[in-house]
Amino acid sequence: QVQLVESGGGLVQAGGSLRLSCAASGVTFSRYTMGWFRQAPGKEREFVAAISWSSDTTHYADSVKDRFTISRDKAKNAVYLQMNSLKPEDTAVYYCAAHPLSTAVCGYHNYYEYPYWGQGTQVTVPS
């Protein structure tokens, strides 16, 4: 079974940077999607970024494009989210998720299509 573990969250001042990591295990499919989602209290889980494991194709939400970068390390079976120019509105619990299909053939921006999830890591950007 696929297991995902996020790390790297914390408190950072506005304008600062943070890098989140997601370690994956038990992944047996070769062309899957890894995604990052976030959820603030009282709000729906929101798409942040996604990457196709095989092609390295990336996708970003408009709210984070040009500030966040998703990347993968095949040797370590890990995915990362580099977050720069952080804003208070970025405050949320960030989740790593996996989908057994590539971004070309799955709804990577829809949280409900992902069967595998990590436990989440808190990111706080005070005003």
Side-chain angles (χ1 to χ4, degrees):
Q1 181 62 268
V2 175
Q3 289 189 312
L4 307 173
V5 180
E6 303 100 329
S7 62
L11 188 150
V12 62
Q13 298 298 314
S17 299
L18 205 61
R19 191 180 79 150
L20 306 183
S21 299
C22 175
S25 62
V27 180
T28 59
F29 25 84
S30 61
R31 295 169 181 154
Y32 57 96
T33 295
M34 296 295 293
W36 285 99
F37 292 79
R38 64 188 183 186
Q39 188 167 25
K43 297 183 66 177
E44 188 176 74
R45 194 160 297 191
E46 175 188 23
F47 169 73
V48 176
I51 184 169
S52 283
W53 196 257
S54 180
S55 68
D56 202 28
T57 300
T58 59
H59 306 271
Y60 299 93
D62 288 342
S63 60
V64 306
K65 64 181 180 181
D66 300 322
R67 297 191 298 122
F68 291 10
T69 302
I70 187 171
S71 62
R72 76 200 198 291
D73 187 329
K74 288 189 174 182
K76 296 181 178 180
N77 217 29
V79 64
Y80 307 97
L81 185 68
Q82 178 66 47
M83 304 184 293
N84 299 325
S85 301
L86 283 163
K87 306 174 181 179
E89 49 263 48
D90 294 319
T91 296
V93 175
Y94 283 71
Y95 297 90
C96 178
H99 192 289
L101 301 175
S102 70
T103 59
V105 294
C106 81
Y108 58 84
H109 58 291
N110 298 318
Y111 70 88
Y112 51 83
E113 293 195 12
Y114 287 71
Y116 310 109
W117 293 86
Q119 82 290 345
T121 185
Q122 177 72 45
V123 172
T124 302
V125 185
S127 300

